[in-house]
Amino acid sequence: MNVTTRLRLLEYARLADAADGALARADAQARATRSTRDDAFADLGHWMHAASTAGDEYQHAALALQQALASYQRLADVERAAAARLQRRTSAAHAARDDFDRAWAKAARGVPHAGHSATALRLLDGLAAMPKELIQAVDAVTVQSSGGKDSVVLVDRLATWGQQTGCLDKLVVVHADLQGADWPGVRELAERQARRYGLRFVTVRSPKTFLSMVEARGMFPDAQNRLCTATLKRDEAAKLFTEITRALGLGEQAVILNCLGIRAAESPARSRKRHLAIDKRASNQNRLVLTWHAVFDLTEADIWEQIASRTLEYHPVYDTLIPRLSCTYCILAPFEVLVEATRLCWLWNLDTPTAYLDVEDRIGHRFTHKFSLADVVAEARRRDQADGPIAFEPGDAIRRHVGEQAAAAYLERLGLSRTAYLARFGLAA
Ligand code: SF4
């Protein structure tokens, strides 16, 4: 079965899944309205009995009976509407499953399938194993880049496949600008990483900044409520899908491959994700969006090995003991990392600690439920006083992960002095 056929089948599976979801919601709603109407029926019975035995209180009971009857009739109408909706959703779900069955029968020539959901997962796994064919078959490839270590390897990998398949012009690198919540020079770094291969580079920006969002809410986001990721990154990237689809102007559904630098080894939650998945939220009749974790199986050591051997540019934050190029103060970062981030801000004369402390103080809500940024800053101050300012050398990240020899070779190929190494990010040596 060729890649185009597989992609078409995935769209049928997506529609069948969506119809099943709508059916499940309609079913739940129909049950809820039935139960409410049953309660109203019991209420009606109560007031009928009360009215027939009321004696002197008859007028009050009759009025209550009248109200109970009106309520029952209204709820019966709601129940009828819910039942009709359930009927429509049932028909739509059957039709969508039939469409999938027909498309499958035509493509698979008699081989039975294991249900549209299970079949979609198999199709996706198969497609993830043929990256070059996949890139050739889709209409556009977006590569989400934070500028961090996983992103730089992701961009390198996609650009290499793009070059090998003659599809470089399909690729666009997308960077969500965190507008001051991140480290200096990150946007420029992401752009340089993309331009190295001649790729188109797009920056998306939320109308809100991290701190304006926190001030408006009166609280910091947390792991359960990652509004920051949705507001500052995902929602903005989603708008781009609409623009890309419109610019393609295909007159039929476009297929967009959206690549993310997520790795299984990063966390148990991430390890449960799949290489390739349908983005149900971003897909619609105009576009099928597939999320591709194209560096999913790489370990942290693999990432650094590739950075060293391919001479990929990375941010000097990694040369300190900060493991991720996220927001300077990431709500998911452990206390220790935030302490080191604070010391690094002082070393580089950044006013991020002051700005965040001001907001924490003004809204009266701690940065996390375990500790405040005031605690973080106090510990950073204590360490700076005891040990002096944070110290690092260019290439320390490669030194730690790959070895001294690899770091020396990397720096030699870069051919930059310490001053020039940091100046690329607007930082003083
Ligand atoms: S890096 Fe951390 S704080 Fe910044 S948007 Fe992502 S989750 Fe939120």
Side-chain angles (χ1 to χ4, degrees):
M1 197 183 294
N2 68 31
V3 178
T4 310
T5 306
R6 292 175 197 226
L7 290 171
R8 208 171 46 246
L9 282 168
L10 282 178
E11 171 59 4
Y12 280 114
R14 180 187 78 81
L15 291 172
D17 244 12
D20 279 354
L23 172 59
R25 285 191 297 279
D27 188 39
Q29 203 177 16
R31 284 168 200 266
T33 53
R34 202 174 309 132
S35 154
T36 314
R37 200 265 301 132
D38 282 349
D39 290 347
F41 187 70
D43 211 26
L44 186 60
H46 166 78
W47 287 113
M48 281 173 81
H49 175 72
S52 65
T53 58
D56 291 348
E57 292 292 313
Y58 175 74
Q59 266 197 327
H60 167 70
L63 185 63
L65 173 59
Q66 211 174 12
Q67 285 168 346
L69 184 60
S71 170
Y72 173 77
Q73 282 168 339
R74 189 174 49 76
L75 289 168
D77 285 347
V78 172
E79 187 194 356
R80 266 193 294 279
R85 190 177 309 116
L86 179 59
Q87 183 69 45
R88 287 197 301 277
R89 298 282 188 259
T90 305
S91 307
H94 284 308
R97 283 181 219 149
D98 289 348
D99 286 347
F100 177 82
D101 288 346
R102 268 193 298 276
W104 174 265
K106 197 168 156 198
R109 295 199 189 97
V111 178
H113 67 74
H116 58 266
S117 299
T119 306
L121 293 181
R122 274 194 219 152
L123 289 168
L124 288 161
D125 288 348
L127 286 170
M130 44 203 317
K132 291 185 201 167
E133 291 87 341
L134 186 55
I135 291 172
Q136 280 173 313
V138 301
D139 301 301
V141 182
T142 52
V143 188
Q144 305 291 336
S145 169
S146 66
K149 65 182 193 312
D150 300 331
S151 292
V152 63
V153 174
L154 178 75
V155 171
D156 183 57
R157 192 169 254 206
L158 263 301
T160 305
W161 285 329
Q163 272 160 353
Q164 290 168 352
T165 53
C167 294
L168 265 191
D169 58 334
K170 282 187 189 176
L171 272 64
V172 53
V173 175
V174 184
H175 175 73
D177 186 355
L178 297 175
Q179 306 174 76
D182 48 2
W183 294 98
V186 170
R187 197 202 70 77
E188 292 79 2
L189 169 63
E191 181 161 5
R192 284 198 298 276
Q193 291 164 346
R195 301 279 184 228
R196 167 178 169 149
Y197 313 92
L199 298 178
R200 206 147 62 84
F201 178 80
V202 174
T203 305
V204 294
R205 284 186 190 90
S206 163
K208 296 178 189 164
T209 64
F210 182 88
L211 286 182
S212 73
M213 184 190 68
V214 169
E215 288 220 53
R217 264 183 98 222
M219 60 199 297
F220 286 94
D222 56 37
Q224 277 70 45
N225 221 335
R226 278 172 64 176
L227 279 182
C228 45
T229 312
T231 307
L232 305 178
K233 300 178 184 173
R234 195 189 60 213
D235 294 354
E236 295 308 309
K239 290 179 196 162
L240 193 66
F241 295 142
T242 308
E243 277 176 38
I244 291 174
T245 309
R246 198 174 298 136
L248 283 167
L250 296 179
E252 60 178 16
Q253 191 189 46
V255 183
I256 300 175
L257 202 49
N258 184 38
C259 309
L260 305 180
I262 283 175
R263 293 182 297 108
E266 286 180 278
S267 70
R270 292 199 165 179
S271 72
R272 286 191 288 276
K273 292 184 183 290
R274 303 181 78 91
H275 284 80
L276 189 66
I278 298 174
D279 184 338
K280 292 179 186 167
R281 191 195 297 254
S283 297
N284 57 33
Q285 58 181 8
N286 298 321
R287 63 191 187 228
L288 173 66
V289 181
L290 301 179
T291 304
W292 191 15
H293 302 133
V295 294
F296 196 62
D297 287 336
L298 299 189
T299 63
E300 190 174 14
D302 295 333
I303 291 286
W304 283 107
E305 195 282 321
Q306 298 227 3
I307 288 175
S309 63
R310 304 268 303 148
T311 323
L312 305 177
E313 191 184 358
Y314 67 88
H315 199 284
V317 153
Y318 289 113
D319 290 329
T320 69
L321 288 175
I322 294 171
R324 296 188 66 225
L325 187 66
S326 56
C327 289
T328 305
Y329 284 140
C330 175
I331 51 151
L332 305 176
F335 184 81
E336 278 302 309
V337 170
L338 295 170
V339 169
E340 293 307 307
T342 306
R343 298 176 70 204
L344 193 55
C345 286
W346 289 336
L347 183 77
W348 286 340
N349 292 322
L350 306 175
D351 63 3
T352 316
T354 312
Y356 274 64
L357 276 180
D358 272 1
V359 170
E360 189 180 62
D361 199 36
R362 228 177 6 255
I363 64 173
H365 181 260
R366 292 182 348 152
F367 187 65
T368 75
H369 70 278
K370 287 192 190 142
F371 55 80
S372 66
L373 274 179
D375 300 333
V376 169
V377 171
E379 175 58 18
R381 191 161 290 123
R382 194 194 63 71
R383 273 191 218 174
D384 258 20
Q385 278 162 3
D387 307 337
I390 206 167
F392 69 92
E393 287 302 322
D396 271 353
I398 296 179
R399 222 164 261 124
R400 270 198 306 277
H401 293 282
V402 195
E404 176 58 49
Q405 219 178 343
Y410 175 86
L411 291 170
E412 193 182 327
R413 285 196 299 277
L414 270 190
L416 296 173
S417 65
R418 181 188 170 92
T419 306
Y421 183 85
L422 292 170
R424 294 173 303 167
F425 301 91
L427 299 167

